[in-house]
Amino acid sequence: MASPVHVFAPFGKALRPQMERFFPGRPVVCWSSAEEFAAGIGTVEYLLALDPPRQYWDRAVRLRLIQCLGAGVDGVLPAPDLPPSVRVANNRGNSAPSMAEFALALILALLKRLPGAMAAQREHRWQRFLPQTLEGRTLGILGLGAIGQALAQRARALGMRVIATQRTPKPHAQVERIHPPEGTGQVVAEADILVILLPLTPETRGLLSASLLEAMKPGAYVVDLARGGILDEAALCRCLESGALAGAALDVFAQEPLPPESSLWEAPNLLLTPHVAGAFPELLERALAAFAENVARLERGEEIRNAVDRARGY
Ligand code: NDP
């Protein structure tokens, strides 16, 4: 009989019917507690995971594949105790269109001042204001990957100029200049609107520091859809309060859920969304299909799709 496939996620048990559809005739085991994971990980070959516990990897002696549910793999890596033969895959690209759309929605909401218009509407106040334009503005993208490229294409169609960073710069038709990580400061200083789309790795943690935020153009905007931990949240609050930055939008936070006492809730001209930028109705189905495909590929002795470089961390 085929070996079982395992799922670990807070909502793991709810995935059983869909998992059984993607793995017909195969035992499916769904876990949502660290106790179940700790007790069983020693027998697992194929694991679909969202933020699994990190302290039991040395027990994972039969494990062949960890398929991460999303594009980010910082919930699994770094994992020094994980046996070196274990492959890690993600769902890179799956959310690229929805993420690019969400970035544009936030940028347009900020520049067209929609939060202020909605607040005035709730109070039945007729208060006119001056919307800003995207055309001719410089969009800086930190991390020109699958999502960054989807955003660059859409931003160009709206008449923006795009500059970006990549770990290893490769020319891109829609992007005027692509800098290596050492050029981050140049992109930050030149951008009218800066969008963070980097993976969270030891190299990118804390990258958008107070000094970089303070070096942005007066009246610029920052959007972070990538991961909390990359941007200095306290420094962002200070820049918004002083008016040095005109506005910002965050979908991701150092601590999630964002605690009710966080000063971010009250920061001026800050749009907050609860880590939903990449979500769309077919997301889960596509993630399960990718897991099924990678299990089948491994069993046929083929290379998996969307393999993650464990050493690089994304
Ligand atoms: P990709 O792996 O396709 O792209 C990552 C990009 O970042 C690559 O271009 C890479 O360069 C670049 N990069 C890596 N390290 C550095 C560095 N130090 N300096 C500059 N560039 C760097 O990922 P995606 O575009 O699919 O996703 C990006 C991130 O977005 C994910 O890791 C995830 O954390 C987050 N995300 C958030 C979601 C949400 O709901 N808010 C949903 C989906 C993703 P190179 O091309 O040279 O490798």
Side-chain angles (χ1 to χ4, degrees), residues 65-94:
L65 171 70
I66 303 174
Q67 177 86 43
C68 297
L69 257 173
V73 295
D74 48 288
V76 170
L77 299 178
D81 298 336
L82 192 64
S85 58
V86 178
R87 309 297 309 278
V88 178
N90 66 359
N91 270 299
R92 181 177 183 270
N94 198 1

Side-chain angles (χ1 to χ4, degrees), residues 216-288:
M216 289 191 71
K217 277 187 186 170
Y221 296 83
V222 178
V223 176
D224 186 2
L225 302 186
R227 279 294 180 271
I230 298 176
L231 166 147
D232 182 330
E233 292 175 350
L236 178 71
C237 275
R238 287 196 300 275
C239 291
L240 289 168
E241 275 154 14
S242 70
L245 292 175
L250 301 178
D251 184 55
V252 289
F253 304 88
Q255 191 185 343
E256 293 183 9
L258 185 64
E261 62 279 9
S262 168
S263 48
L264 287 172
W265 293 106
E266 299 295 336
N269 299 317
L270 179 61
L271 259 175
L272 302 185
T273 50
H275 201 146
V276 292
F280 61 102
E282 299 82 18
L283 175 74
L284 197 57
E285 284 282 306
R286 294 207 195 148
L288 297 186

